[in-house]
């Protein structure tokens, strides 16, 4: 088992994330937020939190700065 820690470069992170640019990431995150809002309105707090987390992840991956 290899326990070495390797910090990803920005280029490596973009490759892993599929190369999503920031503009696309913002659009995708908006869809997740809207879906989360709908789930919250329907009383599904866990589902809403999941969607909000996905929105954050997409933004963090696509807009790292």
């Amino acid at each position: 088992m290899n326990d070495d820690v390797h910090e990803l470069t920005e280029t490596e992170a973009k490759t892993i994330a599929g190369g999503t640019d920031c503009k696309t990431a913002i659009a995708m995150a908006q869809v997740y937020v809207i879906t989360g809002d709908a789930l919250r309105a329907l009383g599904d707090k866990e589902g809403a939190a999941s969607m909000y987390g996905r929105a954050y992840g997409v933004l963090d991956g696509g807009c790292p700065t």
Side-chain angles (χ1 to χ4, degrees):
M1 185 167 144
N2 188 353
D3 290 334
D4 293 335
V5 175
H6 174 75
E7 187 172 334
L8 294 176
T9 65
E10 187 174 337
T11 303
E12 290 171 325
K14 285 183 179 180
T15 301
I16 291 169
T20 301
D21 65 359
C22 189
K23 184 177 178 181
T24 303
I26 291 170
M28 290 170 62
Q30 288 174 333
V31 171
Y32 283 130
V33 169
I34 291 167
T35 304
D37 289 344
L39 290 171
R40 187 181 61 187
L42 294 170
D44 184 358
K45 293 179 184 178
E46 293 82 10
S50 176
M51 290 298 114
Y52 297 144
R54 291 173 192 226
Y56 175 79
V58 168
L59 283 176
D60 191 42
C63 309
T65 55

